[in-house]
Amino acid sequence: MDRDREKPLKTRLRFWNIAIGKFFFRYRNALFPLIFAISALVLRPRIVLANMVVDRLLVRAGIALALLGQTVRLITIGFDYIHRGGKGGQVYAGRLVRGGAYGLTRNPMYVGNALIAIGMTMQFGSPLAYLVIIPFFLFVYRAIVAAEESYLREKFGAEYKDYEKSVNRYLPTLARFGEAFAGVRFDWRKSIKKDLGTVVGLTIGLILIPVWRAYFLYGREATEFVVIRTLSLSLGIGALYLFLLKLKRHDRLFKTDASRSQKNC
């Protein structure tokens, strides 16, 4: 009897989890910068545990996690990249990718995203950010993963079920390292070209957050000598990004292996 009562509840929770995942999947590219922009306006940093040593260690650990997350994204894209990145705002897959980083974990891009979100939040140094922002992003990414897994199970059936059994959802299956990267080559052009926006956004965030922290923690005097240079550098990076984005849209940034092979065909 208890099991019969639990099944409908589990089914409803799974349904809503997938529905939420589909919603956030549609707006996932705008979600990250929007949340952090709001956080910068609302949150206020604190010295963690009122201890400068602990605070600095956590901030530096946050930077390391964010850079690690970006590295995971670049590695994922540069090898056997995902073909389920969405189509028309909906979950979509042309084929099931099982090589490269996807041979170690089924969701390397979301692992990278989560590391960036946690790392950037740690740099804010706000207690509320730890309590709200990090759990929120983890919930969002988990829901998106549920939506993608539901789609993949339905489309690829037994092939995806076999993939689920051999590769972990998040933690890397290191025993599969040799098999995952056998016969695949890292394409740095494709990696940078496809993830240019994330690289630029993370770079600007790493530049601005320390100034933002210093302003609220130590006052205007602590930032007045660097704020103009910091803003100028950020604007310069933004302008460079727009220029590179224009080249990218006209396929003139640089040719990836895929674009060169298509041209030769």
Side-chain angles (χ1 to χ4, degrees):
M1 291 294 293
D2 290 339
R3 291 182 179 179
D4 292 338
R5 292 176 181 176
E6 289 177 2
K7 286 182 180 179
L9 176 60
K10 290 181 179 179
T11 301
R12 289 196 299 270
L13 290 175
R14 182 173 180 272
F15 171 82
W16 282 110
N17 197 30
I18 292 172
I20 292 169
K22 289 179 178 180
F23 171 81
F24 282 119
F25 182 89
R26 177 183 291 272
Y27 302 106
R28 67 194 187 285
N29 292 332
L31 180 66
F32 195 94
L34 177 62
I35 293 298
F36 276 100
I38 294 174
S39 299
L41 294 174
V42 175
L43 301 178
R44 294 295 177 264
R46 297 287 186 273
I47 301 298
V48 178
L49 300 178
N51 187 310
M52 289 296 299
V53 175
V54 173
D55 185 75
R56 287 172 182 168
L57 285 175
L58 288 176
V59 169
R60 290 171 183 173
I63 294 173
L65 283 178
L67 292 176
L68 176 61
Q70 181 62 74
T71 302
V72 170
R73 286 180 58 92
L74 291 173
I75 290 174
T76 301
I77 297 169
F79 283 103
D80 194 3
Y81 184 48
I82 189 170
H83 282 231
R84 46 183 159 109
K87 187 175 183 180
Q90 303 294 323
V91 178
Y92 172 80
R95 67 182 178 93
L96 181 62
V97 178
R98 303 182 65 165
Y102 288 92
L104 302 180
T105 166
R106 302 202 306 268
N107 298 281
M109 290 293 280
Y110 292 120
V111 170
N113 289 347
L115 289 173
I116 293 174
I118 293 171
M120 296 289 280
T121 303
M122 290 173 67
Q123 290 179 74
F124 275 103
S126 167
L128 189 60
Y130 280 95
L131 294 174
V132 178
I133 304 301
I134 291 179
F136 173 76
F137 272 113
L138 294 180
F139 167 75
V140 167
Y141 290 138
R142 179 63 187 90
I144 292 175
V145 167
E148 288 190 352
E149 288 182 341
S150 175
Y151 172 89
L152 294 170
R153 288 192 194 99
E154 182 176 348
K155 180 165 185 176
F156 296 103
E159 183 183 3
Y160 186 74
K161 290 181 180 179
D162 177 69
Y163 178 52
E164 281 186 300
K165 292 178 182 178
S166 58
V167 180
N168 293 332
R169 177 180 281 136
Y170 301 116
L171 293 177
T173 311
L174 297 180
R176 291 178 49 85
F177 188 90
E179 179 183 350
F181 291 95
V184 294
R185 185 173 63 86
F186 184 74
D187 187 346
W188 64 268
R189 296 178 181 85
K190 177 177 69 173
S191 184
I192 296 175
K193 186 175 182 179
K194 287 186 174 293
D195 214 30
L196 182 62
T198 305
V199 171
V200 170
L202 177 59
T203 302
I204 292 177
L206 292 176
I207 292 171
L208 292 180
I209 290 178
V211 179
W212 174 86
R213 273 178 55 89
Y215 177 82
F216 286 105
L217 289 175
Y218 309 114
R220 181 177 177 180
E221 295 77 9
T223 60
E224 61 182 358
F225 295 109
V226 297
V227 67
I228 295 178
R229 284 183 294 177
T230 301
L231 290 176
S232 298
L233 179 59
S234 299
L235 290 174
I237 293 174
L240 177 61
Y241 169 66
L242 293 176
F243 173 71
L244 295 177
L245 186 62
K246 183 177 181 180
L247 293 180
K248 176 182 175 181
R249 287 175 176 172
H250 290 84
D251 199 23
R252 295 169 58 190
L253 179 54
F254 39 63
K255 299 291 185 181
T256 64
D257 289 349
S259 62
R260 283 198 296 270
S261 63
Q262 289 175 357
K263 185 176 181 180
N264 292 333
C265 293

